[in-house]
Amino acid sequence: MPDIQSIEQQLKRLRNELAPPAEEPPALVTEFATGRGRLGTLAALAAQQQRIIASDRRSLLLLATRCADAPLGAWFAGLADGESAALRTVPALAAACGPPGAAAEPLPGCQAYPSYLAWLALNGRPPAVAAALVANFTAWGGYCASLAGALRRFHGFGEEACAFFDFFAQPPTALERAAAEALGPVGLTGPDPAAAREYGRLLQSYEAMFWRTLAQHP
């Protein structure tokens, strides 16, 4: 029977395995970090996130229902509550960036991630989904931290306008600890580690597609 520290080590190994090559951020994040980003692109990001977060919240609630009698159910429900909080920060970001134009419509490359998470909510193994999400959130949180800093430095954004990115710009330690506690005392056993790697690779690929789609959108 693994202890919490052993499960945390499992999650950290998965995070390191799935980390983007050399921790390279998407080109769009780099553009903003160097002062070259266009606010119109972030207006499109806000429009897409409005849809993504609403979908992800429902997916997480479904996962919570699937394991309602286990601690993992409460963990998924807590993530869903976080999505609700994040959704409330999107309007201020959108207002600061201006109208999104044609990107207000759903962009397939941006909506692939929530579509896959919805598939996982129906078909995935909940412990493996939890592990994959923790690994993916690490990269996403780093990108959000970089964007929040760039918007303050180069565009003079205040706390309210940056609240969306600040919300997600959290180190992975606390989330990994909470996930490890929710996965205990069983941890990732049987087919779960292989499934977590599969889910995590696809989630990372779909997130990369999200950033590429935004960077290529006029």
Side-chain angles (χ1 to χ4, degrees):
M1 181 181 296
D3 57 24
I4 299 301
Q5 288 186 333
S6 298
I7 302 172
E8 282 187 279
Q9 289 302 315
Q10 285 183 301
L11 297 176
K12 288 177 182 177
R13 284 195 297 271
L14 181 65
R15 166 163 53 92
N16 292 334
E17 182 179 341
L18 296 175
E23 298 292 337
E24 293 178 2
L28 179 60
V29 177
T30 300
E31 287 181 4
F32 274 93
T34 54
R36 296 178 290 117
R38 296 180 296 111
L39 288 183
T41 305
L42 287 192
L45 180 149
Q48 297 303 309
Q49 283 294 331
Q50 189 81 29
R51 297 172 180 270
I52 291 169
I53 294 173
S55 175
D56 286 355
R57 180 179 180 275
R58 288 189 288 271
S59 296
L60 292 166
L61 288 173
L62 178 54
L63 283 160
T65 300
R66 287 183 58 196
C67 45
D69 296 329
L72 196 56
W75 186 83
F76 281 122
L79 287 188
D81 287 343
E83 295 292 313
S84 296
L87 192 60
R88 292 193 289 271
T89 68
V90 174
L93 173 64
C97 293
E105 296 300 316
L107 300 176
C110 290
Q111 299 303 319
Y113 181 104
S115 298
Y116 181 57
L117 183 56
W119 185 92
L120 288 176
L122 287 170
N123 301 288
R125 298 177 59 85
V129 175
L133 286 173
V134 169
N136 178 251
F137 287 165
T138 301
W140 166 253
Y143 303 153
C144 287
S146 181
L147 287 169
L151 290 172
R152 288 183 168 93
R153 179 180 179 186
F154 296 110
H155 297 280
F157 277 28
E159 296 301 309
E160 188 175 7
C162 288
F164 173 82
F165 294 117
D166 287 340
F167 180 86
F168 290 107
Q170 303 295 327
T173 308
L175 185 62
E176 283 181 350
R177 180 71 181 182
E181 291 174 350
L183 287 166
V186 177
L188 298 173
T189 59
D192 286 333
R197 285 191 291 272
E198 174 187 310
Y199 303 161
R201 282 194 299 269
L202 284 169
L203 286 172
Q204 295 282 40
S205 295
Y206 291 136
E207 180 170 333
M209 187 186 299
F210 168 85
W211 292 109
R212 287 196 303 270
T213 299
L214 288 175
Q216 295 165 2
H217 200 273

